[in-house]
Amino acid sequence: MSWLWAIVLGLVLGLIARALIPGKQNIPLWLTVICGMVGSIVGNAIASSAGVDATRGIDWWRHAFQLGGAIILVALVSPLWAKMKGKKQHRQRA
């Protein structure tokens, strides 16, 4: 059952990360889920080292670190995926 929750959390975090990053990310859904899952693991490790992994109530800091990890991973993986597939990266004009 824990794998199912990891996939659901990865999907949610990955989709939120894609929505927050400007421009279009040309990565498939399965890669979005993996980025969200790995971002969650990285965020949990950072929260644990910061001492905010087990607080009373909702662990807002832990969730913020998880989302931050997912955002960073989606932002890094998206141009690599586009380069690997030979697609031009969509750049947003300032």
Side-chain angles (χ1 to χ4, degrees):
M1 192 67 169
S2 63
W3 280 103
L4 178 63
W5 282 114
I7 293 170
V8 170
L9 180 65
L11 174 66
V12 170
L13 287 174
L15 291 176
I16 292 172
R18 282 180 69 167
L20 292 176
I21 298 173
K24 184 176 181 181
Q25 292 77 41
N26 291 320
I27 59 175
L29 185 62
W30 65 267
L31 192 54
T32 302
V33 172
I34 290 174
C35 287
M37 289 172 65
V38 173
S40 173
I41 293 168
V42 170
N44 281 339
I46 293 170
S48 178
S49 68
V52 294
D53 60 333
T55 59
R56 290 188 297 168
I58 298 174
D59 294 330
W60 293 111
W61 282 108
R62 181 173 56 99
H63 297 314
F65 286 130
Q66 289 174 337
L67 181 59
I71 289 171
I72 290 170
L73 282 174
V74 169
L76 292 175
V77 168
S78 183
L80 293 175
W81 180 263
K83 190 175 191 179
M84 189 175 82
K85 290 296 182 180
K87 298 178 184 175
K88 285 187 175 181
Q89 181 182 357
H90 178 73
R91 294 184 181 232
Q92 185 178 12
R93 294 185 181 182

